[in-house]
Amino acid sequence: MSTIIGTKTTAKVETQPRGKMIAYWLVTLLLAASITLSGIGQLMRYGGNVELVTNIGFPLYVTNILGSWKLLGVIAIVVPGFSRLKEWAHAGIFFLMTGAALSHVFANDYGDYGFHIILPLSYAALNIVSWALRPKSRKL
């Protein structure tokens, strides 16, 4: 007969550094706020959204499609869980923003000081940083 006397089990739990977690949420919330405002602006056709789209030759209904997808992408990024959906949302935002910048380049519509190129590329960069800083629990 065998007996087990005094076994001890320890579990190693890896936690993410606090600074990295704070940076992740700051960047993610900044990205979410900017994309949300952009999506709402497109859905409601505020400001120069009508001119922005028509100047590069897109039909006006594109603002409804882009605005809706932006808001759905923000929801997917901010809501906890759904790791695979978050991956797709980050990819979608990256393609949307780089596509917007390239559309303006190909249409020779740079805006004041290249604003039509710099703004979407800065959103794409925020998206990459948010994706890179994501916690281990959000990785596939």
Side-chain angles (χ1 to χ4, degrees):
M1 177 176 357
S2 62
T3 59
I4 300 174
I5 299 173
T7 61
K8 187 184 245 186
T9 305
T10 58
K12 187 176 181 182
V13 177
E14 290 187 33
T15 59
Q16 191 166 4
R18 187 174 178 91
K20 188 174 178 182
M21 185 63 83
I22 290 170
Y24 165 76
W25 278 110
L26 284 175
V27 171
T28 301
L29 291 176
L30 180 61
L31 173 69
S34 58
I35 297 292
T36 299
L37 290 175
S38 174
I40 290 170
Q42 286 180 329
L43 285 173
M44 301 186 83
R45 297 185 179 156
Y46 278 152
N49 280 302
V50 172
E51 294 82 19
L52 257 171
V53 171
T54 55
N55 285 349
I56 58 176
F58 290 156
L60 198 53
Y61 66 82
V62 168
T63 59
N64 294 334
I65 297 168
L66 295 177
S68 299
W69 281 113
K70 283 180 181 182
L71 294 179
L72 289 172
V74 166
I75 291 168
I77 287 174
V78 175
V79 171
F82 307 106
S83 299
R84 176 100 40 205
L85 184 61
K86 287 180 189 306
E87 294 286 328
W88 280 92
H90 278 293
I93 290 173
F94 178 78
F95 291 135
L96 178 68
M97 291 302 129
T98 54
L102 287 173
S103 295
H104 286 287
V105 167
F106 293 146
N108 292 320
D109 180 31
Y110 299 102
D112 297 333
Y113 309 106
F115 186 71
H116 295 161
I117 312 304
I118 293 170
L119 188 63
L121 290 179
S122 64
Y123 289 167
L126 274 175
N127 185 47
I128 291 170
V129 171
S130 172
W131 178 83
L133 290 173
R134 72 196 188 281
K136 291 184 184 297
S137 64
R138 294 203 175 177
K139 293 181 182 177
L140 294 176

